[in-house]
Amino acid sequence: MRRWNGWGDDTINAELNSDALAFLRQQIGATEAPQDASLEAALAQVAQQPSRLPPHPLVSSAPEHRLQASFGQSMGDWLRLRFGRIGRVSDGVAWPESSAQVRELLDWAAAVGAIVIPCGGATSVVGHLSPPEDGGRPVLTLMLSHLRKLLQLDTVSQLATFQAGVAGPDLEAQLRAQGWMLGHYPQSFEYATLGGWIVTRSSGQQSARYGRIEAMFAGGRLETPTGTLEIPTFPASAAGPDLREWVLGSEGRLGVLTEASVRVQRLPACERFVGVFLPGWAEGEAAARELAQARLGLSMLRLSNPIETLTTLRLAGHAKAIAWLERYLALRGCAAGDKVLLMMGLTGSKAQVAAMQAQARAILKRHGGISTGTLLGAKWQANRFRGVYLRNALWAQGYAVDTMETAVDWPRVPATMAAIEAAGREALAALGERCHAYTHLSHVYAQGSSVYSTFVFRIGPDFERAWARWQALKGAVSQAIVASGGTISHQHGVGKDHAPYLAHEKGARGMQGLQALVAHFDPQGVMASGNLLPPQPR
Amino acid sequence: MRRWNGWGDDTINAELNSDALAFLRQQIGATEAPQDASLEAALAQVAQQPSRLPPHPLVSSAPEHRLQASFGQSMGDWLRLRFGRIGRVSDGVAWPESSAQVRELLDWAAAVGAIVIPCGGATSVVGHLSPPEDGGRPVLTLMLSHLRKLLQLDTVSQLATFQAGVAGPDLEAQLRAQGWMLGHYPQSFEYATLGGWIVTRSSGQQSARYGRIEAMFAGGRLETPTGTLEIPTFPASAAGPDLREWVLGSEGRLGVLTEASVRVQRLPACERFVGVFLPGWAEGEAAARELAQARLGLSMLRLSNPIETLTTLRLAGHAKAIAWLERYLALRGCAAGDKVLLMMGLTGSKAQVAAMQAQARAILKRHGGISTGTLLGAKWQANRFRGVYLRNALWAQGYAVDTMETAVDWPRVPATMAAIEAAGREALAALGERCHAYTHLSHVYAQGSSVYSTFVFRIGPDFERAWARWQALKGAVSQAIVASGGTISHQHGVGKDHAPYLAHEKGARGMQGLQALVAHFDPQGVMASGNLLPPQPR
């Protein structure tokens, strides 16, 4: 069963080995986990907020449903659940089975003055599911998980049309049964949904081959408060603005995506992941950039900075094997404290994989790369959706983990990375706490790169201190991102947590345009969740 | 000097050889060219329309400027110029030198109640430059050709920032001087501009490698009637809607694009174009689809249908060489009447080109392909921007040429091609005329293909009959395109000629949204050219 106050399935437990724990204690100090609030206590708080929605046959106001529908996976969500500070929750929850039921519920919400929040896999890390702060109107959450059917598979055009609430593993299983795949693998893959990916502009781990979700999304059906927007599929078009772009990144402010056609692939003949060490950050960044700009067709390219490389090796356990590896690397010129780990995915036909491997090897060699073959790559692959479970294990030891990310053009990468890590460390230092911050480039482009930083810090003994630490960290890092000229998100989306920073990149004129588009599709503010933009006046 | 009533530079003359002429006479009948109107007569008609604009130091109302600014390259433009039916022209013309001057002119236009039409290279084939029909307000055309500077070249991020009025050859020359290139080569390359490409969603001949203009456009500056929209560059972003998508396909309805950053490339080490014959359409289409779906990294892939293949060979001249080629092909199983020509571009490092050639060869062999090596490819390459000059030569013999194009998913390709050609032939048959129609797939995607048809017909002895023929053809083919489920344009844009068909793909809800966005940025209707959407009420 899915955890109500943490990540993932409660039968899956990530282990934090003793070396890793010792490493963290050395970095940021020893601590203990605070006492978790009980589910019963949380439900009791929900029960104290009577639903403000009138009854509807499709809508449940059971406290467990309202609780489940109101939280994603942002640090704010975690803190509120773990410390039992539930706050405002959704007033009712529905699981529509069709576009027609979504329409019916939108119309009903408009009639009763409710705000609608669509929910895919509830994996948002930026606060998408919290009811808006002002709280004057009832909130109806549409859980889209029953919209999971494969409606059509056109193998000639390599297009699959799904109901948009289908979750990653279910989607891939339905395709794989017929020899096909989509290839969108964000870390939240286990629960995240196709529609959620589209409306938040998601990026999967192998987007270098398969494309970001923008490149996969070929058409669909958006139920807006003022009618249905049907977007047909074309391989390309010059017929004015592309309406798919209204859906991408709309974060539930224009309507509910109920169907989506996506570009699918045959299963590849060959796939491997290779880990390569380079002597330092400068060499690693230069190699990653050259690999991206050489258009080799790699399916993945990630580069950990020295602290992340060190942390990855420490958290991996197997102290003896790692010590052996480090001796080997030192002999070959990769010193312990400076070395960086580059992980690359090679996917395609046998001939394609062989060709890209040969070209990649030549580039990496020039930058002093030392390959470990698939030794670390296979490990990465096996754990690609399990790493996120470590969040539970760390919490149990008293440590909070948050991640923040951006993307910048190449010349800005090193300074942005440094500014983000420093901002996190300084924000917590001002509260007398240490922060273990490390970074990788998770998605590497010819033009630049994403910069993805992880922050581990002590949760704190009570809600107030924990909240203050997280708010200080989140605010300082977000400021550092926009001050560095980065986008406020490369892959997590905007939600409520990033909304205050959006104007830095869209500008006043852009923000007004976005408001105008929202006001046009949703003049009554039915979708006024507060995600992306401040709620529309009603 | 550029021709005032035809394509291109008047020192460049394409020749129509006697075999080609005999072939056309056989197909659609002999004819003669009508008498062209003189430039003097055209200017006299302009002079009879006094400019309705008050004077402004940046604005010329000289008749030659007003004439030049009011016509592109659509068949309607040609007929009006050649027969001397000038009709309404722009009231004034300005050549702004900076974003600030564009701003000044937009504000002035708003103050004096004028409509502004931006003009790049005046290569539109869909009527973008004609003043709107109703004609109640003065029209100011902004010629953007003086905005041609390379403002910044960031070789690390592979980004070049240009003023947006820069024309293709000028842009490539400025980049090439530093070892770089963009790689956007529409047939109109000789005159078309970067800004024009972006606002009409242009696609170049080698977009399979370099991407459509959408993939190149990284950010820029749009001067709208209600303020400046600055779009910064990021390698990727999940921060809500992508504002570049408001500019792409906006066709001058939201403002004037004055600067654009584009993703550039190092010059490739290796490039070749290879022509391959296949025994019939089914084999050719299957091969093209398989090549596109195999992700080989080809820079170009085009497939001519049997009539186009035959026409290409006839128009090439060299009757003896072609006869020899045809005997060779017949011996190898490609019969005269059924064979199709596939042209592919291979671009990249030596290793990449060798790898893609080997993989392409294996695929083509399975479908019965017979390569002619670079024999026909080099010829295609040499003439890639000269073919369009044939339009002048054909007109001189009494023949009009128009092209129409769409894109559809793969299962619809054959029926769409057949419907488009039949619609053209039948429309002219109803007027007692024959039409020589032929088609190629000009841009081939994993999901589907563009379908690009050429129609040659006798101009007719007078304007009325010529206009009626073109209108019948254009209407029937456009109807066939939307009835086939195709987009109204894969690469030409919408302008005025395609505007009536746009609602077929955008839907009523989509059209209202587009109108709302236009109304938001341009509430006074300063940009109300009638392109893309009906003019906004003022």
Side-chain angles (χ1 to χ4, degrees):
Chain A
M1 218 174 88
R2 194 160 168 190
R3 286 186 172 85
W4 74 277
N5 65 352
W7 177 264
D9 192 280
D10 59 10
T11 65
I12 300 176
N13 289 295
E15 294 294 332
L16 199 64
N17 66 69
S18 56
D19 288 351
L21 192 56
F23 174 74
L24 278 180
R25 286 184 174 152
Q26 178 206 330
Q27 295 294 319
I28 47 179
T31 183
E32 279 184 7
Q35 177 67 46
D36 282 348
S38 70
L39 177 57
E40 291 67 33
L43 292 174
Q45 288 186 44
V46 175
Q48 281 161 22
Q49 300 175 39
S51 171
R52 295 163 299 176
L53 281 171
H56 184 286
L58 293 176
V59 177
S60 161
S61 56
E64 60 271 30
H65 294 150
R66 293 171 61 199
L67 181 71
Q68 174 202 352
S70 304
F71 291 86
Q73 291 287 324
S74 86
M75 181 54 64
D77 292 330
W78 270 57
L79 295 176
R80 287 167 53 212
L81 288 171
R82 295 283 188 158
F83 285 101
R85 301 295 186 97
I86 299 308
R88 172 138 318 280
V89 294
S90 180
D91 294 273
V93 187
W95 288 260
E97 307 271 347
S98 64
S99 294
Q101 286 194 346
V102 169
R103 262 258 62 80
E104 179 189 336
L105 288 161
L106 284 178
D107 294 345
W108 179 72
V112 303
I115 289 171
V116 170
I117 300 181
C119 174
T123 59
S124 166
V125 291
V126 291
H128 280 113
L129 299 179
S130 337
E133 291 290 327
D134 57 355
R137 293 162 59 194
V139 173
L140 168 66
T141 305
L142 298 189
M143 306 296 271
L144 301 170
S145 55
H146 290 195
L147 294 173
R148 53 165 294 275
K149 274 205 278 291
L150 172 59
L151 300 173
Q152 203 192 345
L153 176 62
D154 170 355
T155 58
V156 183
S157 293
Q158 306 193 335
L159 278 181
T161 303
F162 282 95
Q163 290 182 307
V166 65
D170 188 4
L171 173 149
E172 288 291 355
Q174 292 187 64
L175 289 175
R176 193 166 289 247
Q178 302 189 51
W180 292 83
M181 62 174 292
L182 177 63
H184 192 76
Y185 305 120
Q187 205 177 26
S188 56
F189 176 74
E190 194 177 344
Y191 296 101
T193 63
L194 177 58
W197 296 336
I198 293 168
V199 302
T200 62
R201 293 186 172 269
S202 169
S203 185
Q205 290 162 347
Q206 286 173 273
S207 70
R209 174 179 171 87
Y210 299 110
R212 292 169 61 88
I213 202 73
E214 294 98 305
M216 297 173 170
F217 175 48
R221 181 186 181 94
L222 186 78
E223 297 294 349
T224 85
T226 45
T228 303
L229 184 69
E230 288 267 18
I231 304 176
T233 61
F234 302 118
S237 171
D242 186 341
L243 303 194
R244 289 174 300 175
E245 296 288 341
W246 290 351
V247 179
L248 289 159
S250 61
E251 300 199 357
R253 293 304 303 268
L254 298 183
V256 182
L257 185 67
T258 59
E259 293 174 14
S261 296
V262 283
R263 292 164 179 153
V264 296
Q265 315 274 329
R266 282 266 177 217
L267 297 170
C270 190
E271 178 159 84
R272 70 180 70 125
F273 296 90
V274 172
V276 179
F277 285 92
L278 292 113
W281 178 257
E283 293 86 345
E285 187 188 313
R289 184 171 67 240
E290 198 174 329
L291 287 167
Q293 294 180 342
R295 308 159 154 269
L296 305 185
L298 297 174
S299 64
M300 189 181 84
L301 194 49
R302 300 160 67 98
L303 178 70
S304 296
N305 74 359
I307 322 176
E308 178 163 310
T309 302
L310 177 74
T311 306
T312 303
L313 294 176
R314 284 295 169 282
L315 264 59
H318 315 296
K320 272 190 191 166
I322 298 293
W324 179 88
L325 175 66
E326 298 216 296
R327 274 197 301 277
Y328 168 75
L329 291 170
L331 271 174
R332 303 274 312 265
C334 276
D338 297 329
K339 66 178 177 297
V340 296
L341 175 57
L342 180 148
M343 191 71 78
M344 61 183 182
L346 303 99
T347 307
S349 71
K350 274 189 181 177
Q352 285 170 333
V353 167
M356 66 181 84
Q357 182 142 8
Q359 294 169 64
R361 190 181 293 134
I363 290 170
L364 285 161
K365 200 176 163 188
R366 270 206 308 283
H367 295 280
I370 302 169
S371 176
T372 61
T374 55
L375 181 74
L376 295 171
K379 229 179 151 53
W380 176 86
Q381 192 177 7
N383 289 309
R384 62 196 293 184
F385 308 124
R386 291 297 172 93
V388 62
Y389 279 89
L390 266 182
R391 222 177 151 184
N392 302 330
L394 285 162
W395 185 280
Q397 298 294 340
Y399 296 105
V401 194
D402 204 5
T403 58
M404 274 171 262
E405 38 84 57
T406 182
V408 287
D409 296 346
W410 280 115
R412 292 178 167 171
V413 167
T416 302
M417 179 170 78
I420 286 173
E421 289 188 358
R425 290 191 193 106
E426 286 160 19
L428 284 164
L431 300 176
E433 286 293 312
R434 280 183 283 167
C435 171
H436 183 58
Y438 50 91
T439 300
H440 66 272
L441 310 185
S442 66
H443 296 76
V444 176
Y445 304 86
Q447 183 184 330
S449 178
S450 73
V451 176
Y452 189 103
S453 299
T454 303
F455 304 89
V456 189
F457 56 98
R458 299 194 295 189
I459 300 164
D462 53 41
F463 177 77
E464 283 68 24
R465 272 176 280 187
W467 190 264
R469 288 174 194 180
W470 175 60
Q471 286 282 292
L473 173 76
K474 185 81 186 168
V477 172
S478 299
Q479 286 293 353
I481 285 172
V482 299
S484 301
T487 172
I488 194 58
S489 175
H490 168 270
Q491 63 200 67
H492 287 167
V494 179
K496 295 180 190 74
D497 295 352
H498 292 157
Y501 304 94
L502 194 62
H504 282 271
E505 59 196 271
K506 305 298 183 190
R509 199 67 205 79
M511 293 301 285
Q512 291 156 6
L514 290 174
Q515 292 278 13
L517 203 60
V518 167
H520 169 74
F521 277 100
D522 184 23
Q524 269 197 280
V526 176
M527 312 301 299
S529 59
N531 293 321
L532 192 61
L533 301 170
Q536 290 295 300
R538 205 168 157 238
Chain B
M1 218 174 88
R2 193 159 168 190
R3 286 185 172 86
W4 74 277
N5 66 353
W7 177 263
D9 192 279
D10 60 9
T11 65
I12 300 175
N13 289 294
E15 294 293 331
L16 198 65
N17 65 70
S18 56
D19 288 351
L21 192 57
F23 174 74
L24 278 181
R25 286 185 173 150
Q26 178 205 331
Q27 295 294 319
I28 48 179
T31 184
E32 280 183 4
Q35 178 67 47
D36 281 348
S38 70
L39 177 57
E40 292 66 32
L43 292 173
Q45 289 187 44
V46 175
Q48 283 161 20
Q49 301 175 39
S51 171
R52 296 163 297 176
L53 281 170
H56 184 287
L58 294 175
V59 177
S60 162
S61 57
E64 59 271 30
H65 295 150
R66 294 172 60 200
L67 182 71
Q68 175 201 352
S70 305
F71 291 86
Q73 290 288 325
S74 87
M75 180 54 62
D77 292 330
W78 270 58
L79 295 175
R80 287 167 54 212
L81 289 170
R82 294 285 188 156
F83 285 102
R85 301 293 186 99
I86 300 306
R88 171 136 319 280
V89 294
S90 181
D91 294 273
V93 187
W95 288 261
E97 308 271 347
S98 64
S99 293
Q101 285 194 349
V102 169
R103 261 259 62 80
E104 178 190 339
L105 288 161
L106 283 179
D107 294 345
W108 179 73
V112 303
I115 289 171
V116 169
I117 300 182
C119 174
T123 59
S124 166
V125 291
V126 290
H128 280 112
L129 299 179
S130 336
E133 291 289 327
D134 57 356
R137 294 162 58 196
V139 173
L140 168 66
T141 305
L142 299 189
M143 308 295 271
L144 301 170
S145 54
H146 290 195
L147 295 172
R148 54 166 291 276
K149 275 204 280 288
L150 172 60
L151 300 173
Q152 202 193 345
L153 177 61
D154 170 356
T155 59
V156 183
S157 294
Q158 306 193 334
L159 279 180
T161 303
F162 282 95
Q163 290 181 306
V166 64
D170 189 2
L171 173 149
E172 288 291 354
Q174 292 187 63
L175 289 175
R176 192 167 291 247
Q178 303 189 49
W180 293 83
M181 62 173 293
L182 177 63
H184 192 75
Y185 305 119
Q187 206 179 24
S188 56
F189 175 75
E190 194 177 344
Y191 297 100
T193 63
L194 177 58
W197 295 337
I198 292 168
V199 302
T200 62
R201 292 186 173 269
S202 169
S203 183
Q205 290 162 349
Q206 286 173 271
S207 69
R209 175 179 169 87
Y210 299 111
R212 293 169 60 89
I213 201 73
E214 294 98 304
M216 298 174 169
F217 175 48
R221 181 187 181 94
L222 186 78
E223 298 293 349
T224 85
T226 45
T228 302
L229 183 68
E230 288 267 17
I231 304 176
T233 61
F234 302 118
S237 171
D242 186 341
L243 303 194
R244 289 174 299 174
E245 296 288 340
W246 290 352
V247 179
L248 289 160
S250 61
E251 301 199 358
R253 293 305 304 270
L254 298 184
V256 182
L257 185 68
T258 59
E259 293 175 15
S261 297
V262 284
R263 292 165 177 151
V264 297
Q265 315 275 328
R266 281 267 175 216
L267 297 169
C270 189
E271 178 158 85
R272 69 180 70 127
F273 295 91
V274 172
V276 179
F277 285 92
L278 292 114
W281 178 258
E283 292 88 344
E285 187 189 312
R289 184 171 66 238
E290 198 174 328
L291 287 167
Q293 295 180 343
R295 308 159 154 268
L296 306 185
L298 297 173
S299 65
M300 189 182 83
L301 193 49
R302 301 161 65 99
L303 178 71
S304 297
N305 73 0
I307 321 175
E308 179 163 310
T309 301
L310 177 73
T311 305
T312 304
L313 294 176
R314 283 296 169 281
L315 263 59
H318 316 295
K320 272 190 191 165
I322 297 293
W324 179 88
L325 176 65
E326 299 216 296
R327 275 197 300 277
Y328 168 74
L329 291 170
L331 271 174
R332 303 273 314 262
C334 277
D338 297 330
K339 65 177 177 298
V340 295
L341 176 57
L342 180 147
M343 192 72 78
M344 60 183 182
L346 303 99
T347 307
S349 70
K350 274 189 181 176
Q352 285 171 333
V353 168
M356 69 181 82
Q357 182 143 7
Q359 294 169 63
R361 190 182 291 133
I363 290 171
L364 285 160
K365 200 174 162 190
R366 271 207 306 283
H367 295 280
I370 302 168
S371 175
T372 62
T374 55
L375 182 72
L376 295 171
K379 228 178 151 55
W380 176 86
Q381 192 178 6
N383 289 307
R384 62 194 295 185
F385 309 123
R386 291 297 172 92
V388 62
Y389 280 89
L390 266 181
R391 224 177 151 185
N392 303 331
L394 285 162
W395 185 280
Q397 297 294 341
Y399 297 106
V401 195
D402 205 5
T403 58
M404 275 171 261
E405 38 83 58
T406 181
V408 287
D409 295 345
W410 279 116
R412 292 178 166 169
V413 167
T416 301
M417 178 171 78
I420 286 171
E421 289 190 358
R425 291 191 191 106
E426 286 160 19
L428 284 164
L431 300 177
E433 285 294 313
R434 279 184 284 167
C435 172
H436 182 57
Y438 50 90
T439 301
H440 66 272
L441 311 185
S442 66
H443 296 76
V444 176
Y445 304 85
Q447 183 184 330
S449 178
S450 74
V451 176
Y452 189 103
S453 298
T454 303
F455 304 89
V456 189
F457 55 98
R458 300 194 294 191
I459 301 164
D462 53 38
F463 178 77
E464 283 68 25
R465 272 176 282 187
W467 189 265
R469 288 175 194 179
W470 174 59
Q471 285 281 292
L473 173 76
K474 185 81 186 168
V477 173
S478 299
Q479 285 292 353
I481 285 172
V482 298
S484 300
T487 172
I488 194 60
S489 175
H490 169 270
Q491 63 201 67
H492 287 165
V494 178
K496 296 180 190 73
D497 295 352
H498 292 156
Y501 304 94
L502 194 61
H504 282 271
E505 60 197 90
K506 306 296 184 192
R509 199 68 205 78
M511 294 302 283
Q512 291 157 8
L514 291 173
Q515 291 279 14
L517 203 60
V518 167
H520 169 74
F521 277 99
D522 184 23
Q524 269 197 279
V526 176
M527 313 301 299
S529 59
N531 293 321
L532 192 62
L533 300 172
Q536 290 296 300
R538 207 172 155 235

